[in-house]
Amino acid sequence: MVKRKAAEAPHEEHADETWLIPYSDLLTLLLALFIVLFASSSLDKDKMEKIEYAFAAAFNAIPGEEMNGSVLNFIEDVKDLHLGDNVGLGSDSKGAVLKIATVNVFDGKSISLKNEANEILQPLANLLKTNRYRRYRIVVEAHTDDQNGSSDASNWELSSAQAGTIVRQLIKLGLDENRFQAIGMAGIAPEYPNYDAYGQPIPKNRKLNNRIEIHIEI
């Protein structure tokens, strides 16, 4: 006698709801896009930048242009300040670098700022106060050449004091003191050799090695 197989209880079907995850992400991005489009029709540039940073914080991300082009953007903005040929512009692994010959801001090997120093520092401070750059750290390095009137230690003291003077002036011009670091480098990092191949000093290079470097850490 053939036994009949017992009928199996019907299985309950479970709906696959994994599609809800990308769908909700898409809705969130669309909402963000509409808000930005609406805001751009009525807000100025500074307010748009605030919105941009708000969205970056909300999505735990940095805007693409800040990841890839912020150093170039900053350098281009500094060029628009027309600070002259006495201010060199470049970049390093942390951000942008401004190089200023010490003679353009200090009276010789001293910590007394020239009156014309503010022709460089004031426009720079105004730029660094804008929403676009206000969150970036600022490291001021002061460099000397390899010689000084008295002892090697005085180069450390001089460069530290010069870096501090630049920082104090930028704070006076409206920048937050918590953004700064001041470093005296003395003569340990010359940009050009102080001596030629025959051991003779190169006065022109020594002059160039006396410089202020302002690093904008982006």
Side-chain angles (χ1 to χ4, degrees):
M1 182 176 180
V2 179
K3 293 184 179 180
R4 295 179 63 186
K5 187 177 180 180
E8 295 182 358
H11 293 287
E12 183 180 353
E13 294 291 335
H14 293 281
D16 185 1
E17 297 180 350
T18 56
W19 61 273
L20 288 172
I21 297 175
Y23 180 70
S24 61
D25 289 342
L26 177 61
L27 289 179
T28 302
L29 290 172
L30 285 173
L31 175 61
L33 175 62
F34 288 135
I35 292 174
V36 171
L37 290 174
F38 173 77
S40 64
S41 66
S42 58
L43 296 179
D44 59 26
K45 182 179 178 181
D46 286 346
K47 290 183 180 179
M48 278 299 298
E49 287 171 351
K50 290 179 182 179
I51 291 173
E52 179 184 46
Y53 288 124
F55 276 114
F59 288 99
N60 194 27
I62 299 175
E65 67 272 15
E66 284 198 9
M67 294 179 65
N68 301 315
S70 55
V71 174
L72 293 176
N73 290 339
F74 180 79
I75 290 174
E76 289 301 317
D77 286 344
V78 172
K79 287 180 180 178
D80 290 341
L81 300 178
H82 304 293
L83 299 179
D85 297 333
N86 295 322
V87 178
L89 293 172
S91 62
D92 59 16
S93 60
K94 293 184 178 180
V97 183
L98 286 78
K99 296 181 181 180
I100 309 168
T102 301
V103 69
N104 292 322
V105 287
F106 287 104
D107 284 322
K109 288 200 170 185
S110 74
I111 60 173
S112 299
L113 281 175
K114 290 183 173 181
N115 292 331
E116 52 266 36
N118 274 346
E119 295 177 8
I120 297 173
L121 299 180
Q122 180 71 74
L124 180 60
N126 292 340
L127 178 62
L128 289 169
K129 284 189 288 187
T130 61
N131 290 326
R132 190 181 188 92
Y133 302 117
R134 66 180 180 180
R135 65 188 183 87
Y136 298 152
R137 283 183 50 79
I138 306 162
V139 179
V140 178
E141 293 180 358
H143 298 257
T144 68
D145 57 32
D146 65 325
Q147 62 176 169
N148 197 279
S150 52
S151 64
D152 291 338
S154 63
N155 271 334
W156 290 103
E157 295 164 356
L158 173 62
S159 60
S160 297
Q162 286 181 337
T165 298
I166 295 293
V167 168
R168 284 194 299 272
Q169 186 63 17
L170 289 171
I171 292 171
K172 188 182 298 184
L173 293 173
L175 296 179
D176 183 355
E177 63 180 3
N178 294 318
R179 299 174 63 181
F180 286 97
Q181 183 179 8
I183 304 175
M185 297 291 290
I188 66 170
E191 192 168 20
Y192 302 94
N194 290 302
Y195 298 88
D196 63 21
Y198 302 99
Q200 296 300 311
I202 308 175
K204 179 181 178 181
N205 286 3
R206 278 178 166 169
K207 183 178 180 180
L208 292 171
N209 286 331
N210 286 280
R211 69 196 187 278
I212 304 296
E213 294 188 2
I214 301 178
H215 296 254
I216 311 300
E217 296 187 352
I218 296 176

